[in-house]
Amino acid sequence: MSGNALRDLNTLPAPERKNESSSKGNFNKPCNGNTIENVEEQPRKSLVSVQTNGGETENVQLKKIPASVQINGGETVNVGVEVANSEVEYIESENLSDVEDVDTCLKNLLPGLDSKDWILVVEALNSVRQLSIFHKERMHSILSDLIPLVVKSMKNPRSAVCKTAIMTSTDIFNAYNDDLIDSLDALLVQLLLKSSQDKRFVCEAAVRALEAMTTSVSPMLLLPKLQPYLKNRNPRIRAKASMFFSRSVPRLGVEGIKEYGIDKLVQVAASQLSDQLPESREAARSLLLELQNVYEKSRNLSTVSEHPEMGSWENFCLSKLSPLSALAVLRVTTNLTREGLVIGS
């Protein structure tokens, strides 16, 4: 195109100039000589399969990015280039299919998780999920390198990456159980944070991951990891930690609770009765009822002559707690027990 032609183009009204210079999927590209020819650029659509419980999707719309194209003679023309439309769809774990090539997938896994391209990160996270379900033995050796990158993705400000990373942790918990105990701290703090935030669909995914954690990891190993968060400054984190601590204790069984220390557990539950959030207080009440039930069963199974230290629940609480804490515990367990008797009669 000559200089006169360019000047003529610039004098056209805006709508005509738009129609002349660009169309959907087209952009101007410099060529040899003094001409610019139209070259059709097909927009690339990346479909990334992720997961949701309620059919949520995240759409990234087409955006026109300004770009300067230089032609012979030093003149430039501004053109718009359409970038890819990426749709993120969340897929349930049971609907995930196997990977096509395990070796290639494993080779690209860590670089993908550490990529600056969020779409590649999401694809890599999905690969982790697939490998956790179908080839967990093959991925076991790189868990120590993989978990920090999953945690990094949980901190990503883009919701699609964050939620996919949380869902990835769910599949990892279900696959590796106690093998994750050495890497649990980093996962746990992020899941407690995400389960306590206002963004609902992220919060719900984090709660499901914590539920998977409590059913997959041995309670004897998990409880000491959860216990420090019962005193966290953030009341929401305390509440979530209390809830999952309370859910984990019954999995110990009677003998496991006695081994862990029923007195320690009663003291933990008593400290949560005065928490500012009702979720913490309710979790404490549930735990205390479970502990009282275990104590009474243990007491009935043994005679006083064999275990003279096994007195009443009231005496036990008074011997292990401060007077005020013991009174609060007895008020809760006595009232709830009486209510249960009334309802059952």
Side-chain angles (χ1 to χ4, degrees):
M1 183 179 292
S2 66
N4 290 332
L6 280 176
R7 283 194 293 272
D8 292 339
L9 178 61
N10 291 331
T11 59
L12 286 174
E16 294 182 50
R17 196 164 60 241
K18 180 179 179 181
N19 293 332
E20 287 267 351
S21 62
S22 64
S23 63
K24 185 175 181 181
N26 292 348
F27 73 97
N28 291 325
K29 178 180 177 181
C31 301
N32 292 336
N34 290 331
T35 61
I36 300 176
E37 66 178 10
N38 268 347
V39 178
E40 186 167 326
E41 171 74 5
Q42 295 294 337
R44 177 178 62 90
K45 181 177 180 180
S46 294
L47 176 61
V48 184
S49 295
V50 220
Q51 169 184 356
T52 190
N53 200 19
E56 303 143 349
T57 59
E58 176 169 321
N59 295 317
V60 180
Q61 301 297 333
L62 281 169
K63 294 183 179 179
K64 189 81 77 174
I65 299 178
S68 295
V69 179
Q70 188 172 26
I71 63 172
N72 291 353
E75 297 181 70
T76 61
V77 177
N78 290 327
V79 297
V81 178
E82 287 183 339
V83 297
N85 178 24
S86 298
E87 181 181 276
V88 176
E89 180 186 358
Y90 303 96
I91 299 178
E92 299 287 351
S93 298
E94 56 268 26
N95 294 330
L96 287 171
S97 58
D98 197 356
V99 298
E100 294 182 0
D101 187 333
V102 178
D103 293 329
T104 302
C105 187
L106 284 168
K107 180 181 178 181
N108 297 331
L109 204 57
L110 297 181
L113 290 172
D114 203 27
S115 173
K116 294 182 180 180
D117 184 336
W118 72 272
I119 294 178
L120 292 180
V121 174
V122 170
E123 291 174 345
L125 287 168
N126 277 329
S127 296
V128 173
R129 298 178 64 203
Q130 293 170 293
L131 291 168
S132 297
I133 295 171
F134 298 102
H135 305 281
K136 65 178 184 179
E137 297 84 4
R138 296 287 304 274
M139 197 170 65
H140 190 280
S141 61
I142 61 171
L143 278 179
S144 59
D145 297 319
L146 183 147
I147 297 298
L149 294 175
V150 173
V151 171
K152 177 184 175 182
S153 294
M154 287 186 192
K155 301 176 183 178
N156 193 295
R158 185 180 287 274
S159 298
V161 178
C162 176
K163 181 173 178 178
T164 308
I166 292 171
M167 292 163 26
T168 302
S169 71
T170 300
D171 293 320
I172 290 175
F173 282 132
N174 290 331
Y176 295 105
N177 311 117
D178 290 352
D179 290 346
L180 292 173
I181 196 64
D182 292 334
S183 305
L184 189 60
D185 289 321
L187 287 169
L188 184 56
V189 65
Q190 285 303 313
L191 290 175
L192 288 172
L193 283 169
K194 299 304 179 183
S195 68
S196 307
Q197 68 167 350
D198 295 327
K199 194 172 290 186
R200 182 178 174 183
F201 75 102
V202 172
C203 176
E204 290 174 347
V207 168
R208 288 194 293 271
L210 288 167
E211 289 171 348
M213 176 191 69
T214 57
T215 57
S216 301
V217 180
S218 168
M220 195 67 74
L221 299 174
L222 180 60
L223 291 174
K225 298 287 187 181
L226 278 170
Q227 191 165 341
Y229 296 100
L230 300 177
K231 298 180 180 180
N232 193 275
R233 292 181 180 180
N234 187 325
R236 289 186 177 185
I237 289 179
R238 288 202 306 271
K240 286 294 188 296
S242 296
M243 183 169 67
F244 289 103
F245 189 93
S246 176
R247 292 182 184 182
S248 297
V249 170
R251 295 185 61 239
L252 286 168
V254 173
E255 294 303 319
I257 288 175
K258 290 165 64 176
E259 180 183 350
Y260 192 89
I262 192 170
D263 52 339
K264 295 178 183 178
L265 293 170
V266 168
Q267 290 165 4
V268 168
S271 68
Q272 298 301 302
L273 280 177
S274 58
D275 195 88
Q276 69 186 81
L277 287 187
E279 292 91 339
S280 294
R281 300 194 296 270
E282 183 58 35
R285 294 187 191 101
S286 298
L287 178 54
L288 285 168
L289 279 178
E290 177 70 24
L291 296 173
Q292 181 189 24
N293 184 44
V294 170
Y295 183 86
E296 297 292 352
K297 282 183 178 179
S298 300
R299 184 168 175 264
N300 292 335
L301 290 174
S302 61
T303 62
V304 175
S305 59
E306 291 175 342
H307 299 280
E309 74 280 2
M310 293 287 289
S312 67
W313 172 251
E314 179 179 354
N315 289 337
F316 175 77
C317 291
L318 289 170
S319 66
K320 301 298 181 181
L321 303 168
S322 67
L324 286 177
S325 294
L327 183 61
V329 168
L330 292 171
R331 186 183 296 118
V332 167
T333 53
T334 303
N335 288 343
L336 290 175
T337 302
R338 287 176 179 173
E339 289 176 7
L341 290 174
V342 171
I343 293 172
S345 60

